[in-house]
Amino acid sequence: MKKIIYILIVISIATSCGDDFLFQPPRAALTVGSFPATADDALLAVNGAYNILRAWQINTGGFPLLDFMADDVVKGSSPGDGTAVAPYDNFTHTAEEGGLERWYKTEYEAIRRTNLVINEVPNIDMEEDLKSRLIAEARFLRAFFYADLVRGFGAVPMVTEINAPVDLVRTPVETILNEIIYPDLENAIVNLPERSGYGAEDLGRATKGAARGLLARVKLFYKAFEDVEELTQAIIASDEYELMDDYADIFTAENEHNIESIFEVGAIPETFANGGSQFANTLGVRGSPNRGWGFGRPAYSWISEMEANEDPRLEPSVIFLNEELDGVVISGDGATPDTIYAGGDIVEIEAYNQKVWYPGTDTRTAFGHNKRIIRYADVLLMHAEALNENGKTNEALDYLNQVRSRAGMPEYNTTSQSELRDLIMDERKYELALEGLRFWDLVRTDRAEEVLGPLGFIKGKNELLPIPQSEIDISQGRIEQNPGY
Amino acid sequence: MHYLRSLFIVGVFFSTMSLIYSQTNTYNGTVIASDLEEPLFGVSVLIKGTGDGTLTDLDGNFEISAAPGDTLVLSYIGYETQEIGLGTQTNLSITMGPDNEVLDEVVVIGYGTIKKSDLTGSVAKVSAEEITKVPAANAINALQGKVAGLQISNTSGDPGSDPVVRLRGITTLNNNNPIAVIDGVITDVSAISLLNANDIESVEVLKDASATAIYGSRGAAGVIIVTTKSGKAGKNKVSFSVEQSFESIANEIEVMDGREFATYLNQIEPGTYNNLDVLPNTDWQELIYNNNAPMTSANFSISGGSENATFYFGLGYFGQQGIIEKSNLDRLTGKLNSEYRLSPNFDVGLNLSMLLSDKQNTPGVVNTALRAWPINTPYLDDGTTFAEVNGGNPLAAIEYSNSNSDRLRSLGNLYANINFLNNFTFKTSLQFDFGAGKSKSFSPVFFVGSLQQNEINDLNYTNDYNLGLIFENTLSYNNEIGRHRVGAVLGYSTQDQRNEFISGSTEGLLREDPLFWYLEAGQNDFETVTNNAARSTIISYLGRVNYSFDSRYLLTASLRRDGSSNFGGNNLYGYFPSVALGWNVSNESFWNVDLVNRLKIRGSWGRIGNEKIPGSAQYALIRGGRDVVLGENEGIQPGATFDGGGNPDLKWEDTEQANIGFEVGILEDKFTLEMDYYYKNTFDILVPLEPAGYLGIGAFRSIFFNAANVENRGFEWNANYRDNIGDISYSIGFLGTTIRNEVTNIGQGFGADSLLVGGDLGNGQRVARSSVGNPVGFFYGYQVEGVFQNQAEIENNPSLFGQQPGDLRYADINNDGLLNANDRTIIGSSIPDFIYGFNAQVNYKTITLSADFQGQMGNEIYNGKQAIRFTTLNYEERFNNYWSGEGSTDENFRPVLGGPNFQPSSYFVEDGSFLRLRTVTLNYGIPNRLLDNLKMAGANVYVRGTNLFTATQYTGYSPEIGAANAIDGSIDLGVYPITRVFSVGLNASF
């Protein structure tokens, strides 16, 4: 009997397990080192970076905060809804508003996805052309995200590796421009195909034109007009793009990836996980039909100006109550006043951004809207602006008039550089309204105080957003706040 | 695989053992209990030095084969052990007397038992009698107020919600629940809900390192050992109990009524509501909470056995409707303990517990009811159609909520004990903790308003499967040589935990009938399915020695080595030692203080670990399904990328704990006092933190770090006095713990070296912090000094951007004449200075009245319900006293929707101290003469009130706020209210 006991004890110890029993890798997931390992992985990783362009938070934290701050848009929605983001309308926003943090952190999440590609794909043994294209796509996206960050927050921590050091400080804007944004986009211009170089199934990937357009937009913000002229000229000369005949066709569902579109974010009417984008749901018609929350409504002052100009672009840009769109009558939201008065004057009406309209009567279909990021009309206006600033006012006029005449507006024939400068800025306000560009146009041309001052804009402060308070707190103040916040 | 192999070997061994047999002379005897003057059944009769033996039968008789000169050892719980030398007389008549030595009570400790007098650690034992004397619906609640340092809080009234259990305060920053060991199976505290209070034989609470270190990596937050009842040989014992209760909300939260709300909004936007008299006034809380919601429990058990086999079988039902509609719970529990004596030295047995539950997942309407506009009505004029309500219509939310979870959980321990060489016991066991559940929620098509509608019906379904297996082998040695008493155990154990889930969703079901609540009824286009799994493993080696000299000097030392798959290569193993000394002063010959009949001094030191983190926390995972939409025809192209972040450098969290204490009994234990001073220092605390944004793991996502060192120290005591005045006996007890909690170091590795930020309110505000020299998770924000009464005050004092008269005046903490983020400061702490409880009991004949109070002092609660929200919602009553002009108030700010007044500040911090009458019970035991007529062994009826009274300044439903994570502090974001309960019950046994 004792023997049996000893045998049992010995066996029970012998059945013991070693260290391999203690190695339990994650299930149904890979880790860095095992991914990306092949050409297929490289493509997956690049697609994974594009994926975040559809994320709700990448759009300034979900809500069009930049539009709220501009003069062409108001917070919108019903008066009681979104009181947390209402302060952007009058520049009383603080560093603790949650949308800001969502946006900032999601930009870095996006950058990490691109860094995965940029750092790991070069080590993969694969066809060189495809490899350099995929890396260039990731570098385009990285530049895109960094451009958002430096324009919004100024100096920010610069991360180029997969695992960022934990003790970063803010890197000057100049450094980020010169070490990331410019080289990334220059690489992308060299290594990306033109739009026509992609197969039909790949429409929507970054192109040479998109890289030039983005670089032009960044250069314009920093007033490098020579570069802007050259870049926009190259886009025009590429013969890849032209203006749509009818302004009203630019943003419709059937004209996604149209000839005027230089970069846009593909989406289908599904949940985010299945290919949708919530951007148009956030901005969509509130109430009936139920398309969304109604944030970022066109400002009444802008509508009035367009009406006074008899600008045909007003109607395709704005959904008015009782309008019929794609067979659907827009009756709007019961809780939102149709008209708001102050001192007997109309200050706000219930109207919605038509540029995000996607046919349908429910919220899910709104997820199918493709957000247009860069379009050819913007390139023409940038080109006109650069030419004018470079002393080529006569040449500039022609490009401005291309946009004017497509819109059905009379052409200009001024020869004054300063007059043309104002006309171009006005044209951007009419042509590119509700597209998230107006606020930065005012900031970069130093007109923000003049135009937005009455709304609460403070010079020397509101050119930048505050760094999210959590970032300052978590870093114990190593990341410093922008002035005035 | 090795489990199956081991099981097979054990099986073969069992079959072999049953063939072993030995034989000599035959002795017959009868055992009589001197106090009962009745035969004693089930007395263990052993031949000394051999381990061979038998048990007495129903008539107290036994028969045993032994040689003359052998000594028989007769033992029976509660009776003094006797030794009988065998001679030629083969018919023996033996009388056993009761054991009056209370001190020699046996206490269950990890992997063994020990005489209480030999105990060196801080272990509190709660006996079956104490647990059932004051009936409680939930076994874990029965421990409340019985163990110093053990705090059981019901933070939610949701049927079936687990109470929060804390032993000696907050040790770690993450999972602070002690572990439970149920009949040897290591599991979590929530598993105690598998048991009925009546099934429990004893509960031991292991508090100090000497007691818990044997559980190594799982012992840091304490260990609760539950031993369930086993059958006793003899006549079957049958018992049953039923209890019926009714619960109601204890208190509503005071919010604005319709008129007040409209008045407030008029202040913000003049002229919004011109005629206050015609506005509706809806009390949403009254509409969603039911009064006198029933709660029923019924238990049945039967136990018994023969000489070679015993069993205990228990069955229980618990049903609770809940005060919110569609929150009900039904639970069925089963218990089977059986043991077979295959030979005198060889037992095999099985302990099995099972639970089946069916829970309606409570509609999330608690906050909705607090926030819905009181000037909206639940229904349109027709009285049946739901009306659109700002903030959401809570009644519609209930109506359209269909969510249900079914669970099965089973805990088992299949074991064999082999005694050999007189003093050795080898125990091998295979333990399992199995759980499986499915959860389903269906949302029909409905329209209440633009923000409360569902355009297409949808269904979500989740199925999960969890299996934990432990294979454990221990070798024990127990011996007494002269005045030396030695106990030792060596063990080896492996644990394998597997979890897997599959979930799916679909939309557009063919019909809305429950018969169609299956994925297959939906439209293919909308169907999604996901499936994932996790596995974690532990390998452990353990050893312990207990030594006692002359019952005076005591020593315990233990060591455990744990390896866990939760950590990467270099940090795989942790070592957890402990040592403890004890001195029974009252056993010394010089001790002649008659007043003090018992005095023991003990001290311990040890290290315990914590590895309670997800197995994948070390990895930055890359997952598929991060797709892109491309192409002329807009198709999906698959993508894969990061899903959050990981930390490959994770290592063990260690808690070093020292404890010194004494136990004293005065006047033959009329007065007893147990007091300890404890000191716990937890190193490299594992905690999920939101790191700096530039690490790129995404918004509102965390990574685990070894983030900090935290120190806890304090006194705890349990004092009891019992006496009687004539027929009336009474007892009073007072127990308490003082807590001093301090962060002593903040680790490196996440971008901050002296600060952790927590307390996310979900609106961008984070109100809790942890930093060196302060308690964990203190509240952080502006300190309110008053209200700006006029423009001059704003100009003459530092203020925030854009402040106006009527706004809160915050303190300029750093006195730099400016008010900014640098002026935020400590505005409260969630950790109480003092937790206490007292209980009193009075008996007169068979009537017992008992009351149990619980309280805490010196902690604060952040009322997150009042913090800024995304939209305009109803306000709590305090906002009615708004500032309305110079001199009106210096406490509340002017009516405003957002802005500087909603910055995190002391305005939102409230005192969390409270004293609660937890239970009061009146119990009537049916007198013996009646019982005899009814042929019953015992019966009692009782009435009980729970949460009858709470003294607190806190304005929420309950000051007991749970925190999932200590660095977040106690933030009240709205929980299912705890309830006031009236119960009546009956227990009977035959």
Side-chain angles (χ1 to χ4, degrees):
Chain A
M1 170 178 161
K2 283 170 194 165
K3 213 179 258 176
I4 296 169
I5 290 162
Y6 293 137
I7 290 169
L8 184 65
I9 292 169
V10 168
I11 287 173
S12 72
I13 301 297
T15 53
S16 60
C17 337
D19 283 1
D20 56 337
F21 180 64
L22 291 180
F23 176 63
Q24 297 297 339
R27 267 56 176 177
L30 293 160
T31 55
V32 178
S34 59
F35 178 91
T38 63
D40 287 349
D41 282 357
L43 182 63
L44 286 171
V46 172
N47 289 349
Y50 278 106
N51 165 268
I52 208 163
L53 290 170
R54 269 195 292 114
W56 183 69
Q57 302 98 307
I58 202 77
N59 304 304
T60 50
F63 298 92
L65 307 182
L66 302 175
D67 282 336
F68 293 170
M69 294 195 293
D71 58 338
D72 57 343
V73 174
V74 292
K75 182 210 80 182
S77 189
S78 75
D81 197 5
T83 44
V85 290
Y88 291 92
D89 239 353
N90 57 12
F91 297 93
T92 55
H93 51 273
T94 67
E96 291 211 327
E97 192 275 308
L100 213 56
E101 182 186 338
R102 281 197 298 274
W103 183 39
Y104 175 93
K105 287 188 160 178
T106 306
E107 291 284 1
Y108 276 107
E109 185 183 7
I111 286 165
R112 182 158 172 252
R113 293 182 180 193
T114 61
N115 280 332
L116 176 67
V117 177
I118 296 163
N119 286 279
E120 295 291 319
V121 171
N123 307 324
I124 298 173
D125 183 19
M126 62 182 286
E127 201 258 307
E128 285 302 321
D129 284 356
L130 179 61
K131 185 197 270 190
S132 54
R133 189 199 95 195
L134 293 177
I135 294 169
E137 286 181 68
R139 293 188 71 169
F140 167 84
L141 290 171
R142 185 168 72 174
F144 178 81
F145 300 128
Y146 267 111
D148 264 0
L149 280 174
V150 295
R151 193 178 57 180
F153 300 97
V156 290
M158 184 169 92
V159 182
T160 54
E161 52 276 81
I162 295 167
N163 294 312
V166 292
D167 53 355
L168 291 179
V169 295
R170 296 176 68 174
T171 302
V173 175
E174 283 292 301
T175 313
I176 294 175
L177 286 172
N178 291 322
E179 293 183 14
I180 297 185
I181 298 177
Y182 295 159
D184 275 355
L185 290 173
E186 280 152 14
N187 174 284
I189 291 168
V190 172
N191 290 302
L192 289 178
E194 287 285 9
R195 173 180 156 126
S196 55
Y198 279 113
E201 74 284 359
D202 278 326
L203 207 58
R205 289 189 183 279
T207 60
K208 221 182 258 302
R212 285 182 176 130
L214 178 58
L215 186 55
R217 183 176 282 178
V218 175
K219 294 275 188 182
L220 185 67
F221 192 77
Y222 298 103
K223 300 189 169 112
F225 297 112
E226 299 282 350
D227 293 339
V228 176
E229 181 185 332
E230 193 182 312
L231 288 160
T232 48
Q233 175 57 40
I235 298 171
I236 295 163
S238 73
D239 269 341
E240 292 275 333
Y241 309 100
E242 48 188 82
L243 292 176
M244 294 286 283
D245 292 339
D246 187 347
Y247 187 84
D249 289 340
I250 302 171
F251 295 95
T252 59
E254 62 265 32
N255 289 316
E256 291 178 337
H257 294 295
N258 62 51
I259 190 70
E260 186 173 335
S261 177
I262 293 178
F263 191 61
E264 71 181 66
V265 181
I268 50 181
E270 293 287 350
T271 58
F272 170 70
N274 293 336
S277 159
Q278 206 177 342
F279 178 70
N281 173 239
T282 307
L283 275 59
V285 173
R286 189 183 172 103
S288 177
N290 176 36
R291 307 305 309 282
W293 308 340
F295 283 97
R297 294 206 314 251
Y300 184 69
S301 58
W302 180 82
I303 292 173
S304 311
E305 189 175 345
M306 296 293 276
E307 276 171 347
N309 295 343
E310 295 179 12
D311 194 319
R313 286 171 291 195
L314 173 63
E315 179 48 43
S317 301
V318 178
I319 301 173
F320 293 95
L321 289 190
N322 304 318
E323 183 176 339
E324 189 179 320
L325 268 175
D326 295 311
V328 183
V329 176
I330 312 298
S331 34
D333 182 33
T336 303
D338 291 353
T339 312
I340 297 174
Y341 298 90
D345 298 325
I346 298 176
V347 290
E348 195 174 333
I349 61 169
E350 186 183 351
Y352 297 92
N353 180 348
Q354 191 169 325
K355 291 181 174 182
V356 301
W357 172 261
Y358 193 91
T361 54
D362 59 4
T363 49
R364 176 64 54 80
T365 46
F367 280 60
H369 170 74
N370 284 12
K371 188 181 184 190
R372 273 65 158 179
I373 306 280
I374 304 173
R375 56 190 181 91
Y376 190 56
D378 185 15
V379 169
L380 292 177
L381 289 173
M382 286 196 285
H383 191 57
E385 186 173 345
L387 287 169
N388 189 45
E389 296 300 332
N390 293 335
K392 305 167 190 171
T393 302
N394 284 343
E395 286 178 58
L397 191 60
D398 175 47
Y399 292 100
L400 172 61
N401 281 334
Q402 282 187 39
V403 174
R404 290 283 291 175
S405 50
R406 188 271 303 266
M409 294 295 284
E411 297 196 351
Y412 293 126
N413 52 10
T414 180
T415 55
S416 151
Q417 185 193 34
S418 67
E419 197 180 332
L420 188 63
R421 182 178 291 139
D422 290 346
L423 290 175
I424 291 170
M425 282 313 293
D426 284 348
E427 200 57 33
R428 291 183 67 87
K429 182 179 178 183
Y430 309 142
E431 172 72 24
L432 304 171
L434 310 163
E435 293 181 49
L437 295 171
R438 171 72 177 161
F439 178 73
W440 298 124
D441 282 345
L442 293 172
V443 169
R444 70 181 172 82
T445 56
D446 301 319
R447 293 173 58 208
E449 189 184 23
E450 171 201 336
V451 177
L452 303 175
L455 299 175
F457 183 92
I458 296 169
K459 193 177 167 64
K461 172 184 178 182
N462 293 125
E463 289 85 356
L464 294 175
L465 291 160
I467 298 279
Q469 188 64 44
S470 66
E471 193 74 345
I472 289 162
D473 288 349
I474 288 168
S475 71
Q476 299 182 297
R478 195 180 56 250
I479 306 289
E480 288 173 9
Q481 188 53 279
N482 282 325
Y485 290 103
Chain B
M1 264 322 281
H2 69 271
Y3 293 111
L4 294 178
R5 198 164 62 206
S6 311
L7 200 61
F8 176 73
I9 292 162
V10 171
V12 169
F13 182 67
F14 291 173
S15 341
T16 320
M17 281 303 292
S18 57
L19 300 175
I20 296 168
Y21 196 64
S22 64
Q23 193 172 3
T24 39
N25 294 340
T26 305
Y27 289 82
N28 293 304
T30 309
V31 183
I32 307 288
S34 65
D35 56 336
L36 304 172
E37 296 173 359
E38 277 179 9
L40 263 183
F41 163 65
V43 176
S44 159
V45 183
L46 282 171
I47 302 167
K48 192 173 181 183
T50 66
D52 293 337
T54 183
L55 295 173
T56 58
D57 67 13
L58 282 172
D59 302 319
N61 298 323
F62 68 91
E63 185 180 293
I64 194 163
S65 302
D70 281 353
T71 304
L72 291 186
V73 180
L74 282 80
S75 56
Y76 190 79
I77 291 173
Y79 287 79
E80 269 183 63
T81 299
Q82 284 203 30
E83 297 195 0
I84 311 285
L86 294 178
T88 50
Q89 174 64 270
T90 54
N91 283 316
L92 307 165
S93 179
I94 301 159
T95 308
M96 290 181 79
D99 185 352
N100 293 320
E101 190 64 81
V102 185
L103 288 183
D104 274 344
E105 187 182 5
V106 170
V107 174
V108 181
I109 53 176
Y111 305 96
T113 58
I114 193 170
K115 287 185 173 185
K116 185 157 169 45
S117 59
D118 282 355
L119 198 61
T120 53
S122 178
V123 178
K125 173 171 179 157
V126 185
S127 67
E129 192 191 38
E130 286 177 87
I131 288 171
T132 49
K133 196 169 200 171
V134 178
N138 180 326
I140 188 89
N141 279 340
L143 299 176
Q144 175 56 42
K146 297 194 172 67
V147 177
L150 184 71
Q151 189 190 12
I152 295 160
S153 316
N154 288 81
T155 55
S156 164
D158 196 6
S161 64
D162 291 321
V164 173
V165 182
R166 292 285 176 269
L167 193 61
R168 288 187 167 170
I170 289 167
T171 306
T172 174
L173 297 180
N174 48 74
N175 189 333
N176 269 298
N177 278 336
I179 56 163
V181 179
I182 299 177
D183 291 327
V185 185
I186 298 178
T187 180
D188 54 287
V189 168
S190 71
I192 296 177
S193 65
L194 270 71
L195 305 173
N196 299 315
N198 293 326
D199 294 340
I200 293 173
E201 177 70 36
S202 74
V203 175
E204 270 88 359
V205 180
L206 316 188
K207 298 193 277 190
D208 70 348
S210 161
T212 59
I214 197 75
Y215 286 102
S217 63
R218 279 153 291 185
V223 180
I224 298 176
I225 298 183
V226 182
T227 310
T228 59
K229 284 177 181 164
S230 49
K232 306 237 175 333
K235 192 167 154 269
N236 287 348
K237 189 181 172 203
V238 176
S239 65
F240 72 84
S241 61
V242 289
E243 180 180 297
Q244 181 63 45
S245 309
F246 297 94
E247 54 175 348
S248 304
I249 188 168
N251 60 292
E252 282 192 5
I253 292 177
E254 300 288 339
V255 293
M256 287 184 183
D257 65 22
R259 195 180 181 89
E260 289 163 345
F261 181 69
T263 306
Y264 194 79
L265 292 192
N266 274 341
Q267 292 291 318
I268 296 170
E269 194 68 53
T272 309
Y273 300 100
N274 292 320
N275 189 351
L276 299 180
D277 296 325
V278 301
L279 288 171
N281 179 26
T282 307
D283 181 348
W284 293 104
Q285 293 181 80
E286 196 182 306
L287 290 174
I288 67 159
Y289 296 124
N290 295 323
N291 280 326
N292 298 321
M295 180 156 79
T296 309
S297 81
N299 297 301
F300 166 81
S301 74
I302 178 163
S303 65
S306 64
E307 289 167 33
N308 293 322
T310 57
F311 75 97
Y312 177 95
F313 172 77
L315 199 60
Y317 166 79
F318 176 74
Q320 185 177 2
Q321 186 181 295
I323 56 170
I324 296 177
E325 220 177 301
K326 293 190 178 174
S327 66
N328 53 297
L329 167 75
D330 286 287
R331 196 164 69 190
L332 204 59
T333 52
K335 178 81 198 141
L336 178 64
N337 287 344
S338 57
E339 187 167 277
Y340 304 91
R341 177 158 290 185
L342 300 180
S343 87
N345 284 319
F346 189 25
D347 304 321
V348 294
L350 171 69
N351 298 319
L352 189 66
S353 311
M354 283 183 69
L355 172 140
L356 274 168
S357 70
D358 181 351
K359 170 86 174 83
Q360 285 255 71
N361 299 321
T362 309
V365 293
V366 172
N367 274 327
T368 317
L370 292 174
R371 296 173 162 200
W373 287 19
I375 52 173
N376 294 143
T377 54
Y379 301 104
L380 297 179
D381 292 343
D382 65 7
T384 53
T385 310
F386 288 116
E388 181 169 10
V389 175
N390 283 287
N393 185 331
L395 295 185
I398 292 173
E399 173 68 26
Y400 298 122
S401 162
N402 300 285
S403 179
N404 189 75
S405 295
D406 289 348
R407 288 209 71 75
L408 164 67
R409 186 165 178 185
S410 179
L411 223 58
N413 183 3
L414 188 66
Y415 64 89
N417 289 323
I418 302 147
N419 302 310
F420 62 101
L421 295 178
N422 304 335
N423 306 103
F424 288 91
T425 304
F426 177 72
K427 178 168 184 171
T428 183
S429 66
L430 181 68
Q431 305 162 5
F432 67 85
D433 182 352
F434 172 77
K438 75 174 168 68
S439 162
K440 201 175 259 193
S441 73
F442 171 76
S443 183
V445 173
F446 63 89
F447 181 89
V448 180
S450 57
L451 293 181
Q452 193 174 15
Q453 60 169 304
N454 196 33
E455 293 154 338
I456 179 164
N457 68 42
D458 58 74
L459 175 77
N460 288 286
Y461 175 81
T462 303
N463 202 328
D464 67 282
Y465 166 96
N466 310 287
L467 178 62
L469 286 174
I470 298 178
F471 178 52
E472 190 175 274
N473 295 284
T474 57
L475 180 65
S476 315
Y477 171 79
N478 285 289
N479 204 359
E480 204 170 334
I481 306 162
R483 294 188 289 183
H484 307 276
R485 198 153 47 229
V486 178
V489 64
L490 273 177
Y492 168 74
S493 129
T494 59
Q495 182 174 350
D496 188 346
Q497 177 69 42
R498 296 155 197 245
N499 307 304
E500 184 157 354
F501 77 92
I502 181 162
S503 69
S505 66
T506 193
E507 296 181 13
L509 272 57
L510 291 167
R511 295 284 187 276
E512 298 201 334
D513 187 280
L515 285 172
F516 292 80
W517 293 358
Y518 300 92
L519 295 177
E520 190 143 315
Q523 296 173 23
N524 282 338
D525 282 0
F526 292 129
E527 200 168 289
T528 60
V529 175
T530 180
N531 164 231
N532 207 337
R535 184 177 173 195
S536 63
T537 47
I538 296 176
I539 298 179
S540 311
Y541 300 90
L542 58 96
R544 181 183 57 218
V545 179
N546 294 309
Y547 170 74
S548 147
F549 176 72
D550 202 20
S551 294
R552 287 186 287 157
Y553 307 111
L554 319 168
L555 165 76
T556 305
S558 71
L559 177 66
R560 182 168 180 137
R561 176 187 190 241
D562 275 349
S564 166
S565 65
N566 287 350
F567 302 105
N570 297 335
N571 302 313
L572 218 49
Y573 289 96
Y575 290 87
F576 308 104
S578 82
V579 60
L581 297 168
W583 180 24
N584 279 319
V585 184
S586 49
N587 287 356
E588 293 286 355
S589 52
F590 62 74
W591 187 260
N592 56 4
V593 184
D594 288 345
L595 191 68
V596 179
N597 60 297
R598 183 162 62 90
L599 175 64
K600 177 156 95 178
I601 298 170
R602 50 182 166 71
S604 70
W605 172 90
R607 222 169 230 278
I608 327 107
N610 179 7
E611 51 93 53
K612 280 184 250 185
I613 52 169
S616 62
Q618 53 183 305
Y619 302 109
L621 300 178
I622 289 169
R623 294 190 196 277
R626 274 65 182 162
D627 306 334
V628 58
V629 174
L630 293 171
E632 221 161 16
N633 299 318
E634 301 233 289
I636 290 219
Q637 287 196 25
T641 192
F642 289 112
D643 182 18
N647 180 356
D649 302 323
L650 285 177
K651 61 184 178 193
W652 289 89
E653 171 182 317
D654 276 342
T655 296
E656 185 178 29
Q657 189 174 5
N659 191 90
I660 183 157
F662 66 87
E663 295 163 25
V664 63
I666 292 170
L667 292 170
E668 295 305 311
D669 281 349
K670 257 187 193 171
F671 177 75
T672 59
L673 173 66
E674 210 168 310
M675 191 157 190
D676 286 279
Y677 175 75
Y678 66 92
Y679 171 88
K680 273 180 167 186
N681 198 354
T682 306
F683 301 92
D684 300 321
I685 282 184
L686 289 163
V687 60
L689 290 176
E690 284 185 43
Y694 53 75
L695 292 187
I697 66 157
F700 308 114
R701 301 192 73 155
S702 307
I703 302 183
F704 271 90
F705 291 96
N706 290 101
N709 299 353
V710 174
E711 191 182 276
N712 275 278
R713 55 195 146 111
F715 289 95
E716 69 184 26
W717 63 90
N718 189 352
N720 285 286
Y721 183 77
R722 58 176 186 212
D723 203 353
N724 54 291
I725 308 164
D727 281 351
I728 298 172
S729 66
Y730 65 94
S731 68
I732 48 174
F734 176 52
L735 40 84
T737 312
T738 65
I739 301 170
R740 187 163 184 281
N741 176 287
E742 186 182 324
V743 175
T744 56
N745 181 41
I746 298 282
Q748 305 284 330
F750 50 89
D753 53 14
S754 66
L755 183 70
L756 307 177
V757 178
D760 192 345
L761 299 185
N763 61 2
Q765 298 180 338
R766 285 180 184 72
V767 299
R769 295 192 154 196
S770 303
S771 65
V772 174
N774 294 307
V776 162
F778 61 83
F779 298 126
Y780 188 76
Y782 294 105
Q783 181 69 48
V784 175
E785 287 189 318
V787 173
F788 285 121
Q789 299 297 333
N790 50 50
Q791 191 61 35
E793 280 188 26
I794 296 174
E795 280 153 19
N796 297 330
N797 289 289
S799 64
L800 290 177
F801 174 76
Q803 283 200 303
Q804 296 176 22
D807 283 351
L808 293 175
R809 182 159 48 85
Y810 299 126
D812 176 19
I813 294 294
N814 61 6
N815 284 313
D816 63 353
L818 297 170
L819 199 61
N820 53 32
N822 297 330
D823 292 305
R824 292 171 301 164
T825 184
I826 297 178
I827 50 176
S829 163
S830 318
I831 299 184
D833 300 325
F834 180 40
I835 301 173
Y836 61 97
F838 46 91
N839 49 68
Q841 195 168 312
V842 183
N843 298 288
Y844 172 72
K845 290 183 176 170
T846 62
I847 299 170
T848 308
L849 177 66
S850 69
D852 176 19
F853 292 85
Q854 190 189 353
Q856 62 184 40
M857 280 163 60
N859 64 303
E860 278 85 30
I861 295 168
Y862 198 95
N863 190 347
K865 303 190 285 4
Q866 294 193 355
I868 188 154
R869 313 78 178 277
F870 194 72
T871 61
T872 306
L873 300 163
N874 197 13
Y875 295 89
E876 291 182 17
E877 196 194 26
R878 173 185 192 179
F879 285 70
N880 279 328
N881 305 315
Y882 55 82
W883 185 87
S884 55
E886 192 161 346
S888 56
T889 170
D890 205 31
E891 280 175 21
N892 294 296
F893 54 82
R894 69 193 164 95
V896 64
L897 288 177
N901 296 312
F902 284 94
Q903 294 277 338
S905 77
S906 58
Y907 187 80
F908 301 100
V909 174
E910 299 185 31
D911 187 350
S913 303
F914 72 91
L915 171 64
R916 173 171 283 165
L917 175 53
R918 175 73 66 191
T919 58
V920 52
T921 310
L922 180 65
N923 188 33
Y924 174 69
I926 313 286
N928 284 335
R929 53 191 161 74
L930 269 173
L931 291 175
D932 291 344
N933 292 341
L934 296 165
K935 300 208 183 325
M936 291 169 90
N940 60 297
V941 292
Y942 61 89
V943 290
R944 183 183 63 232
T946 306
N947 298 331
L948 293 187
F949 160 81
T950 305
T952 183
Q953 300 287 312
Y954 185 62
T955 58
Y957 285 125
S958 166
E960 292 180 274
I961 303 293
N965 192 325
I967 63 164
D968 292 333
S970 307
I971 299 172
D972 190 353
L973 290 168
V975 290
Y976 196 119
I978 67 148
T979 55
R980 178 176 297 154
V981 190
F982 292 96
S983 314
V984 49
L986 162 73
N987 292 322
S989 58
F990 302 89

